[in-house]
């Protein structure tokens, strides 16, 4: 996606919804949540923090929509498989559907087991801590979105819970082993995502793009790739997206996924053959075959994300609600429908209002994407989560997706560096052959100017004509090779540095902010 396209996106977004209008709509949603929580819990003792928590939960949900959902649809938009408007519509619908349908009725109050709630004996202190965690995570996400840095919402809420927990009960409350695993995920997630995405892209290039008859190879391999995608997403959704509706082990989920993949293969193959008859035998034509699979991938990723990450917004809110209603601290709580609605609707609103900035960052500001590269990234997102969950490795969906973008970008860079060597070699051959051609022409000119030519001179003249004809054709071909060779395309280093820096400081920044907010609340309430 070029700079002009990005500016068009920004212009269209700003024309449709100016900054003040976006803020007003976001504020309207927060006010509606406030009014609902106030009118429905007005007679509940100590309801102040439940109302405040509901407001902060709405704010957090919108920030998740603005930042995290970009990972699901950014590559599809960047590759022009779908427009920004349709990406927002599809993601908003499937994010909300995932949250409502598969978000579950029970959620752990302490995300990822970061702290031991048993060490906080006073429910009031616990409510303050959860309120601080929710607000700090939302503020950090808001800041990251404003600078165009896609960060992990899970890590944001983890940092918030850790900071508030330490402020409430000291460092002993933190599960440092769990924190070590989360720190490891900063490396594991993008590395796995990058390697798998680059692997798929290299497979496609080697088996389709670098072949003479691209369409013939596409007819063979595209149905297989779509079937593999079907297996990955089916297994991913069964394991992660609908685990709260029905819980199956990996083997069962994988076998169901294989059955779906086989059915998809036989369904897709004739469609690919038919579509290939109407497209050009080049990369652009092959790219078009991946458009529809990419749209499905974006929708399925959004559904699974809504089912899983809605807990980042409503987990602490559900904990506050339970503590207020029961006056005790529970490790697991029921989620009322209104709490789930705050998360699901908030994510969709945040995406619609403020998502385009991060969608553009992921889709175009790291490296240039097309449908083949975006497809590789989507495959990496699903397969990495499956692989990591079976190996017990902590991963972040944000880091996986952005790591996949890094992976395809650096693979392009490596391949294009080979092409740059080809350019240099071609340039050397062109100069050498041009000099030989000039020498032939000079010799021919001198022989033709001779008045008394010998038989050997005529033989040499004929030989020079043949040599010149061959060398002219050779020089022309080298010119064509030189013009068709690509220039090296680099991953934008500034974007990489900014994103990695934001990843590294997410947990400590959210923790420090959460601790400060907790002490502020404690000071006000004491």
């Amino acid at each position: 996606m070029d700079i002009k396209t990005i500016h068009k996106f920004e212009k269209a977004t700003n024309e449709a919804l100016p900054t003040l209008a976006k803020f007003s709509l976001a504020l309207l949603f927060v006010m509606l949540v406030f009014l609902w929580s106030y009118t429905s819990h007005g007679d509940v003792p100590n309801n102040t923090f439940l109302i405040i928590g509901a407001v902060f939960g709405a704010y957090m949900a919108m920030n998740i929509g603005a930042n995290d959902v970009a990972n699901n649809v950014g590559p599809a938009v960047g590759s022009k498989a779908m427009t920004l408007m349709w990406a927002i519509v599809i993601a908003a619908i499937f994010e909300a559907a995932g949250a409502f349908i598969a978000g579950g009725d029970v959620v752990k109050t302490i995300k990822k087991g970061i702290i031991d709630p048993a060490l906080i004996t006073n429910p009031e202190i616990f409510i303050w801590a959860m309120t601080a965690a929710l607000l700090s995570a939302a503020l950090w996400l808001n800041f990251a979105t404003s600078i165009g840095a896609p960060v992990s919402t899970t890590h944001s809420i983890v940092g918030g819970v850790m900071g508030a927990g330490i402020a409430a009960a000291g460092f002993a409350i933190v599960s440092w082993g769990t924190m070590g695993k989360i720190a490891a995920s900063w490396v594991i997630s993008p590395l796995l995502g990058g390697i798998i995405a680059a692997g798929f892209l290299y497979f496609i290039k080697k088996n389709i793009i670098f072949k003479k008859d691209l369409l013939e190879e596409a007819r063979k391999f595209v149905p297989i790739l779509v079937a593999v995608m079907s297996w990955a997403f089916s297994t991913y959704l069964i394991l992660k997206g609908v685990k709260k509706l029905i819980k199956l082990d990996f083997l069962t989920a994988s076998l169901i996924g294989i059955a779906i993949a086989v059915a998809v293969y036989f369904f897709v193959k004739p469609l690919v053959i038919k579509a290939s008859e109407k497209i050009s035998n080049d990369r652009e034509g092959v790219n078009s075959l991946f458009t529809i699979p990419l749209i499905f991938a974006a929708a399925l990723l959004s559904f699974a994300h809504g089912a899983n990450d809605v807990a980042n917004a409503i987990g602490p809110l559900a904990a506050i609600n339970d503590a207020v209603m029961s006056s005790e601290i529970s490790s697991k709580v029921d989620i009322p429908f209104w709490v789930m609605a705050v998360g699901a609707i908030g994510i969709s609103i945040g995406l619609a209002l403020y998502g385009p900035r991060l969608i553009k960052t992921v889709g175009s500001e790291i490296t240039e994407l097309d449908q083949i590269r975006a497809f590789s990234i989507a495959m990496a997102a699903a397969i990495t989560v499956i692989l990591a969950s079976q190996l017990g490795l902590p991963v972040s969906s944000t880091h996986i997706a952005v790591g996949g973008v890094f992976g395809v970008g650096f693979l392009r860079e490596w391949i294009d560096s080979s092409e740059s060597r080809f350019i240099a070699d071609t340039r050397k051959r062109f100069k050498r052959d041009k000099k030989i051609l000039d020498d032939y022409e000079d010799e021919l000119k001198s022989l033709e100017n001779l008045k008394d030519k010998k038989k050997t001179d005529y033989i040499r003249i004929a030989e020079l004509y043949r040599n010149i004809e061959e060398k002219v054709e050779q020089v022309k071909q080298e010119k064509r090779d030189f013009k068709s060779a690509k220039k090296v395309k680099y991953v934008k280093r500034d974007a990489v540095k900014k994103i990695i820096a934001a990843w590294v400081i997410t947990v400590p920044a959210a923790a420090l902010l959460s601790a400060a907010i907790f002490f502020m609340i404690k000071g006000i309430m004491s």
Side-chain angles (χ1 to χ4, degrees):
M1 190 185 298
D2 56 22
I3 297 298
K4 286 183 179 179
T5 308
I6 293 171
H7 286 324
K8 283 180 183 177
F9 275 165
E10 290 177 341
K11 186 178 178 182
T13 304
N14 289 332
E15 284 177 356
L17 283 174
T19 303
L20 183 59
K22 292 179 189 176
F23 177 76
S24 300
L25 288 172
L27 185 60
L28 176 62
F29 173 65
V30 171
M31 290 300 299
L32 289 173
V33 170
F34 169 79
L35 291 171
W36 165 259
S37 58
Y38 179 78
T39 55
S40 60
H41 299 88
D43 56 348
V44 176
N46 196 24
N47 67 350
T48 303
F49 274 93
L50 177 56
I51 296 168
I52 293 172
V55 169
F56 290 168
Y59 178 45
M60 175 65 174
M62 285 193 292
N63 278 289
I64 291 175
N67 192 290
D68 217 25
V69 182
N71 308 309
N72 305 326
V73 297
V77 174
S79 66
K80 299 179 183 175
M82 66 173 80
T83 64
L84 182 63
M85 183 193 75
W86 277 112
I88 290 171
V89 170
I90 289 171
I93 291 170
F94 280 87
E95 284 280 339
F100 277 121
I101 295 170
D105 298 321
V106 177
V107 68
K108 289 183 179 178
T109 58
I110 309 302
K111 184 71 180 175
K112 301 291 184 183
I114 287 298
I115 65 173
D116 181 5
L119 296 180
I120 303 177
T121 56
N122 187 341
E124 196 169 67
I125 297 292
F126 180 74
I127 291 170
W128 297 349
M130 291 299 98
T131 303
L134 204 50
L135 180 58
S136 64
L139 288 170
W140 172 250
L141 282 175
N142 198 335
F143 171 74
T145 303
S146 70
I147 63 171
V151 296
S152 170
T153 56
T154 301
H155 288 181
S156 300
I157 198 66
V158 160
V161 169
M162 183 184 77
I166 291 172
F171 286 92
I173 198 173
V174 178
S175 172
W176 294 107
T178 304
M179 282 305 303
K181 290 180 181 179
I182 289 171
S185 76
W186 297 337
V187 177
I188 294 169
S189 299
L191 196 60
L192 274 177
I195 290 171
I196 293 174
F200 272 102
L201 179 60
Y202 186 74
F203 177 86
I204 294 169
K205 281 179 173 288
K206 186 178 179 182
N207 291 284
I208 301 176
I209 303 303
F210 293 159
K211 298 293 185 178
K212 187 174 182 180
D213 190 343
L214 278 69
L215 291 182
E216 179 61 31
E217 301 304 322
R219 292 184 194 107
K220 286 192 293 187
F221 287 105
V222 170
I224 294 172
L225 288 166
V226 174
V228 172
M229 183 195 84
S230 302
W231 169 82
F233 277 104
S234 300
T235 307
Y236 175 83
L237 285 171
I238 293 167
L239 288 174
K240 306 299 261 184
V242 295
K243 64 182 179 181
K244 296 180 181 73
L245 291 177
I246 178 170
K247 195 166 185 177
L248 299 173
D249 58 29
F250 172 73
L251 181 60
T252 305
S254 186
L255 289 173
I256 294 171
I258 289 171
I260 294 171
V262 171
V264 167
Y265 174 82
F266 287 108
F267 176 75
V268 167
K269 189 171 179 65
L271 297 178
V272 170
I273 293 172
K274 186 176 180 181
S276 66
E277 295 170 357
K278 302 174 184 177
I279 58 176
S280 55
N281 187 31
D282 54 21
R283 180 171 182 134
E284 186 176 348
V286 173
N287 256 316
S288 66
L289 296 175
F290 288 91
T291 299
I292 293 175
L294 261 177
I295 294 171
F296 276 97
L300 293 172
L301 280 172
S302 297
F303 181 89
H305 180 270
N308 282 281
D309 281 32
V310 69
N312 292 329
I314 64 172
L317 174 55
I320 293 168
N321 177 73
D322 183 72
V324 169
M325 302 299 285
S326 64
S327 298
E328 62 181 29
I329 302 170
S330 305
S331 60
K332 289 186 178 182
V333 298
D334 292 330
I335 302 179
F337 181 80
W338 74 269
V339 173
M340 183 65 75
V342 168
I345 298 171
I347 287 174
S348 298
I349 290 174
L351 168 66
L353 296 180
Y354 296 103
R357 183 183 183 99
L358 266 295
I359 289 174
K360 288 179 288 186
T361 297
V362 174
S364 64
E365 293 178 1
I366 299 172
T367 193
E368 186 181 346
L369 297 177
D370 58 15
Q371 288 97 316
I372 291 172
R373 296 169 196 146
F375 178 85
S376 302
I377 295 164
M379 291 288 286
I383 291 175
T384 304
V385 170
I386 294 170
L387 181 64
S389 66
Q390 296 313 301
L391 297 176
L393 299 173
V395 292
S396 160
S397 60
T398 299
H399 293 189
I400 292 168
V402 177
V405 177
F406 289 164
V408 299
F410 284 121
L411 178 68
R412 291 173 59 216
E413 188 170 301
W414 178 76
I415 291 174
D416 286 349
S417 69
S418 301
E419 290 174 346
S420 67
R421 290 193 292 273
F422 169 74
I423 290 172
D425 291 342
T426 303
R427 185 185 286 115
K428 288 178 184 176
R429 290 201 313 273
F430 175 78
K431 288 181 178 178
R432 184 192 64 219
D433 290 339
K434 188 70 170 63
K435 186 178 183 305
I436 293 172
L437 179 62
D438 290 341
D439 291 341
Y440 283 162
E441 289 176 343
D442 289 341
E443 185 182 352
L444 179 63
K445 190 175 181 180
S446 62
L447 285 173
E448 285 182 335
N449 287 336
L450 287 175
K451 291 182 180 179
D452 300 320
K453 296 183 180 69
K454 300 176 183 176
K455 184 179 179 181
T456 55
D457 293 329
Y458 285 110
I459 293 172
R460 180 58 181 163
I461 287 171
E463 184 182 355
L464 284 171
Y465 270 115
R466 285 195 302 272
N467 290 345
I468 288 171
E469 187 176 347
E470 289 174 2
K471 193 58 68 175
V472 165
E473 191 56 41
Q474 190 174 346
V475 169
K476 283 181 179 179
Q477 183 59 46
E478 285 164 357
K479 274 187 178 180
R480 287 193 292 268
D481 291 342
F482 182 78
K483 287 179 180 179
S484 64
K486 299 176 183 176
K487 295 181 180 179
V488 176
K489 300 179 181 69
Y490 293 98
V491 176
K492 296 178 180 68
R493 264 46 176 187
D494 289 342
V496 173
K497 290 175 184 175
K498 178 178 71 174
I499 291 168
I500 292 176
W503 286 355
V504 171
I505 66 172
T506 289
V507 170
L512 287 171
L513 188 58
S514 182
I517 293 171
F518 175 83
F519 284 123
M520 183 179 70
I521 294 172
K522 187 177 180 181
I524 293 170
M525 299 303 295
S526 299

